[in-house]
Amino acid sequence: MVFPVMLILNDIQDQLPIAYNGFSWNVFAGQTAPNAKKKEIDSFTGGILDFSLSYLRVSIKKITVLDNKCYEFIRKNFVFANILAHDNAPFRLALSSIYDWRFAKDLRMAIARLWVGIEAMLNINTELSYRIALYASTVLEERGEARKMRFHEIKKIYSMRSRAAHGDPMTDEELITTLEKSFRLLKELVIYCCKRQQILTTDYIENILLC
């Protein structure tokens, strides 16, 4: 799942894997190279994924070809993202959210799925609106006016998320805007963790905030 997420983080939204392999890449990498020392590999583990004929997408420029920037991002971040996903359940949940929100049946369900990932990334269980906005703005912006503006922006997105989740009346435009802003927020948080090789623990965030 990590590799498809790497593509999504580079705004390549239209790849739809149809199967998965349960082995770590380290098990079979290099096995086809000449003179490679062959490894004993257990019976294949994997399976077929649900294939969705329709899916949601955010309104960004459609990208179908991997360019050098995308290759370089994957080269630098794939291995550590894979380690984080293996070792950390909240991060793994966030990756699942940013991948499979597209297959939700409607916009409200897609928004709820994205926020499962955001809340998992920030590991917050109380005072959600305030603390999510505070923690996310702290890691994503430098101290000053930009951080304050981001804090209020994220609080507003969370309020819209709550309206969507609770079934309050909303226009399609409001739902689409909430979806796209939620997606971009989760995307920023995942990229932050990958580039800094750092899970967003409470201690880590509070050190940035208070020290």
Side-chain angles (χ1 to χ4, degrees), residues 121-148:
M121 287 287 287
L122 296 170
N123 193 27
I124 294 172
N125 299 310
T126 59
E127 300 177 298
L128 293 180
S129 175
Y130 178 81
R131 293 182 67 193
I132 285 174
L134 180 64
Y135 283 16
S137 60
T138 295
V139 298
L140 296 177
E141 301 290 348
E142 296 293 332
R143 186 184 297 273
E145 189 63 27
R147 183 179 292 180
K148 181 179 177 182

Side-chain angles (χ1 to χ4, degrees), residues 199-210:
I199 291 294
L200 299 177
T201 64
T202 300
D203 284 346
Y204 176 81
I205 296 172
E206 288 181 350
N207 281 338
I208 299 174
L209 182 63
L210 300 173

